[in-house]
Amino acid sequence: MLLLALDTATPAVTVALHDGSAVIARSSQVDARRHGELLLPAVDRVMKESGRALDEVTGIVVGVGPGPYTGLRVGLVTAATFASALGGVPVHGVCTLDGLAYASGIEEPFVVATDARRKEVYWARYKDSRTRIGGPAVDRPAEIAEAVAGLPVVGAGARLYGEAFPEARDPEHQSAAALASLAAERLAAGEPFEEPQPMYLRRPDAQVPKNYKVVTPR
C-alpha cells in the first residue's frame, strides 16, 4: 500500500504519503489564496522526501470538504487527475472534518468547526476521534453555541469565534498526514469511504449578478 493524501478544503494546502504502516513524508502550508499554486509543488516535495516514485502509489486519499468552492475543487480535480494518470488507481474520499477529528486524538464527545466564511462555520459532532455522530452542517456560530456548550471544539472555527466556542482545542488546521492515517485504518478494516465529490453544503460564493445583461451576437 502506498497512499498519496491531499486536502485543499481549508486554508491548509496539505499533502502526505502513507505506506500502510506509517506516514513517510508530509508537507503543509497555510495560504487560503494559493491552493492551485502550492499543491503540485507540495506533492513533488513529498515524493522526493519519501524516495518513492509516483507510479508506486496504489491509491489517492482526498479531503472532500466541506469547504469553500474554489479551494475544495483544486484538491478534488488534482486527485482525479493523478488517479487517471496512474492507470485508474482508486480515489478514497474522506470528510475533511474527520481528518481534523482524527488528528485531535480526543476520546470524548467533541466538535470540529472550520471557517466557512460569511461569518459561518462548517461543523460536525463526534463521539471520539474516529466516530462522527452528527453533521457536517453549516451554521452561524451563535446559532449552535448552546447546542455544543461544554464540548471541546477543534479547528480554525473555534479560534475565530471564541465567544461561541470557549473550549478551543488543537489542531487548528487540517493535516493530510492525519487524513492518510485515518484512510489506512479504514482500508484495513474494510470500512466505506465518501465519494470523491465536493461537499459544499451551500451555493458557491461567486455567483452571476442578478441583473446580468446577456449579449447575443447578431
Side-chain angles (χ1 to χ4, degrees), residues 7-205:
D7 196 322
T8 59
T10 72
V13 180
T14 180
V15 179
L17 200 64
H18 196 292
D19 67 0
S21 298
V23 173
I24 57 176
R26 69 188 75 194
S27 172
S28 290
Q29 294 171 270
V30 178
D31 191 326
R33 297 179 180 274
R34 298 200 299 149
H35 293 89
E37 295 176 49
L38 297 175
L39 182 57
L40 291 180
V43 172
D44 187 53
R45 279 195 305 276
V46 164
M47 299 309 302
K48 287 180 178 178
E49 180 185 331
S50 70
R52 307 292 291 269
L54 194 58
D55 60 10
E56 295 180 65
V57 169
T58 60
I60 310 292
V61 180
V62 63
V64 299
Y69 185 77
T70 303
L72 179 54
R73 290 181 66 199
V74 169
L76 285 160
V77 169
T78 301
T81 301
F82 273 129
S84 178
L86 293 171
V89 300
V91 180
H92 308 294
V94 179
C95 175
T96 294
L97 304 185
D98 289 358
L100 280 157
Y102 184 85
S104 76
I106 298 174
E107 296 305 317
E108 60 181 330
F110 70 103
V111 171
V112 174
T114 61
D115 183 18
R117 303 176 185 173
R118 302 185 193 176
K119 298 182 179 179
E120 293 178 330
V121 292
Y122 297 117
W123 69 288
R125 190 189 295 265
Y126 291 81
K127 177 183 177 182
D128 53 49
S129 62
R130 293 189 79 259
T131 312
R132 175 160 36 102
I133 57 175
V138 58
D139 289 289
R140 290 184 177 272
E143 295 172 348
I144 62 172
E146 184 176 348
V148 304
L151 295 177
V153 183
V154 169
R159 307 291 180 181
L160 281 171
Y161 302 104
E163 70 284 358
F165 309 123
E167 300 293 328
R169 300 277 187 90
D170 289 331
E172 180 177 355
H173 297 293
Q174 174 69 313
S175 162
L179 205 71
S181 297
L182 176 58
E185 284 190 13
R186 288 180 175 176
L187 280 168
E191 297 175 4
F193 287 87
E194 307 279 356
E195 289 296 320
Q197 300 295 328
M199 190 183 293
Y200 293 129
L201 301 188
R202 70 180 186 204
R203 297 171 65 87
D205 290 338

